[in-house]
C-alpha cells in the first residue's frame, strides 16, 4: 500500500482535472452500514421490499417507516476523516467535483462545494404527483408517508429507488465530468449499481487514470483500476492528503 500511495500522490499532483466517485463504503466509518457488505442493510431489509418504487407505491407507510428510521440513524452520524480529506483535496486544488451515490449529505457537510448526488438525498422529499421537492423537516416527521401540501400527491424521500430514473441534471453533469476529467478517485463503491458504476469505466475510456480505494477488490479493480489503495477510506484518504502536503 505504501508504494501505491506514493504512486497515487504523484498522479494526483500531475492531474489537471480530477474528480471523485464515491459510494456507501465512504460512510461506513461514520457508523452507517453499507448495503452489500456482510453487515449491510440489505441483509436485514431486502431491497425488493424496501427500496423499489413499486414497493413504495404498494405500501408507502411500511417503506416510509424504513427510510424514516434510516434517516434518524443518519441524523446521529457525521462525516468521518475520509470525508474531511476529500474536502481538503478540493481546498488544495486537487479535486474539481465529487459524484456520490450516497444520500447522507456528508460530503457537503465536510466542506466539498461541488457534489453531485447521483441517487438523490435524504435531506429532501419529492412529490410523486407534481414532482415538487421540499426540504425534509426530520424533527417533525410524520410516522406515515406524507402527502404533498400543493397537490395532495404521495411524497417520498428524494432518494432514487430501484425502478426510478436518475435525475437528468445529475446524469448529464456526471457524464460531462467523466468525459472531461483526467483522474477519477473511486472510493467505497462495490461497482454493482448501474448506471453509477459506468462512470469510472466511461472516464477510463476517455483517457482518465483510475485510483481506487476500497477495503476489498471490486469489479473495477482488475478491469480498469490503475492504482489500488486497499484499506479504509477514513484512513487511506487522510494519509494521501498528508503525503500530498508534505
Ligand atoms: P455498496 O454496494 O454497499 O458497496 C460498498 C463498498 O464499500 C464495498 O465494495 C465495500 O467493500 C466498500 N467498503 C466498506 N467499508 C469501506 C471503507 N471503510 N473504506 C472503503 N471502502 C469500504 O455501496 P455502493 O455505494 O456501491 O452502492 C450503491 C448504493 C448504496 C447507492 O444507492 C447508495 O445510495 C446506497 N447506500 C448509501 C449509503 C449512504 O448514503 N451512506 C449507505 C448505504 C447504502
Amino acid at each position: 500500500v505504501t508504494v501505491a500511495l506514493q504512486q497515487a500522490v504523484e498522479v494526483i499532483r500531475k492531474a489537471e482535472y480530477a474528480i471523485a466517485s464515491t459510494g456507501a463504503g465512504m460512510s461506513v466509518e461514520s457508523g452507517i452500514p453499507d448495503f452489500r457488505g456482510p453487515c449491510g442493510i440489505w441483509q436485514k431489509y431486502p431491497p425488493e421490499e424496501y427500496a423499489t418504487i413499486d414497493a413504495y407505491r404498494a405500501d408507502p407507510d411500511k417503506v416510509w417507516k424504513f427510510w424514516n428510521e434510516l434517516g434518524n440513524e443518519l441524523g446521529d452520524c457525521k462525516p468521518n476523516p475520509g470525508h474531511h480529506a476529500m474536502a481538503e483535496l478540493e481546498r488544495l486544488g486537487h479535486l474539481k467535483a465529487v459524484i456520490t451515490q450516497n444520500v447522507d449529505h456528508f460530503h457537503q457537510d465536510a466542506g466539498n462545494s461541488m457534489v453531485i448526488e447521483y441517487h438523490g438525498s435524504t435531506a429532501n422529499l419529492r412529490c410523486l404527483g407534481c414532482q415538487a421537492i421540499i426540504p425534509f423537516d426530520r424533527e417533525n416527521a410524520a410516522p406515515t408517508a406524507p402527502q404533498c401540501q400543493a397537490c395532495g400527491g404521495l411524497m417520498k424521500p428524494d432518494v432514487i429507488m430501484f425502478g426510478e430514473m436518475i435525475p437528468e441534471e445529475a446524469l448529464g453533469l456526471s457524464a460531462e465530468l467523466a468525459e472531461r476529467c483526467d483522474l477519477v478517485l473511486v472510493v467505497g463503491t462495490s461497482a454493482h449499481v448501474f448506471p453509477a458504476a459506468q462512470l469510472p469505466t466511461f472516464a477510463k475510456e476517455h483517457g482518465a487514470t483510475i485510483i481506487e480505494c476500497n477495503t476489498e477488490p471490486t469489479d473495477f479493480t482488475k478491469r480498469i483500476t490503475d492504482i489500488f489503495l486497499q484499506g479504509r477510506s477514513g484512513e487511506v484518504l487522510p494519509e494521501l492528503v498528508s503525503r500530498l502536503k508534505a
Side-chain angles (χ1 to χ4, degrees), residues 50-70:
Y50 291 95
T52 71
I53 186 64
D54 290 345
Y56 194 69
R57 286 188 197 274
D59 193 344
D61 290 346
K62 170 182 159 182
V63 179
W64 170 262
K65 192 164 171 269
F66 161 73
W67 284 96
N68 211 11
E69 280 169 12
L70 192 69

Side-chain angles (χ1 to χ4, degrees), residues 168-228:
E168 226 164 86
E169 205 189 331
L171 259 187
L173 206 50
S174 314
E176 232 171 80
L177 288 167
E179 192 172 339
R180 176 171 180 190
C181 71
D182 55 1
L183 172 63
V184 189
L185 199 52
V186 182
V187 185
T189 171
S190 62
H192 281 154
V193 178
F194 285 84
Q198 271 162 351
L199 286 170
T201 307
F202 184 66
K204 177 89 177 180
E205 285 164 2
H206 285 79
T209 302
I210 309 294
I211 298 177
E212 182 184 22
C213 167
N214 199 302
T215 44
E216 293 161 31
T218 68
D219 286 355
F220 289 137
T221 315
K222 273 216 175 88
R223 204 163 45 81
I224 59 164
T225 299
D226 296 290
I227 303 172
F228 185 58

Side-chain angles (χ1 to χ4, degrees), residues 23-25 29 35-36 101-104 119 188-190 214-215 233:
E29 289 155 273
F35 277 177
R36 285 175 191 73
Q101 297 174 71
N102 296 343
V103 294
D104 53 31
H119 289 161
T189 171
S190 62
N214 199 302
T215 44
S233 49

Side-chain angles (χ1 to χ4, degrees), residues 100-188:
T100 189
Q101 297 174 71
N102 296 343
V103 294
D104 53 31
H105 211 263
F106 286 169
H107 285 299
Q108 293 95 323
D109 294 347
N112 281 101
S113 64
M114 175 64 174
V115 181
I116 297 168
E117 292 174 312
Y118 208 78
H119 289 161
S121 172
T122 49
N124 297 320
L125 299 180
R126 180 164 48 86
C127 173
L128 289 175
C130 67
Q131 301 299 324
I133 294 178
I134 58 162
F136 179 33
D137 177 5
R138 188 169 304 290
E139 304 277 293
N140 301 303
T144 53
Q147 284 185 327
C148 177
Q149 303 253 324
C151 78
L154 177 63
M155 302 286 294
K156 70 178 276 288
D158 189 27
V159 294
I160 308 305
M161 295 181 179
F162 292 104
E164 287 190 290
M165 305 283 282
I166 307 294
E168 226 164 86
E169 205 189 331
L171 259 187
L173 206 50
S174 314
E176 232 171 80
L177 288 167
E179 192 172 339
R180 176 171 180 190
C181 71
D182 55 1
L183 172 63
V184 189
L185 199 52
V186 182
V187 185

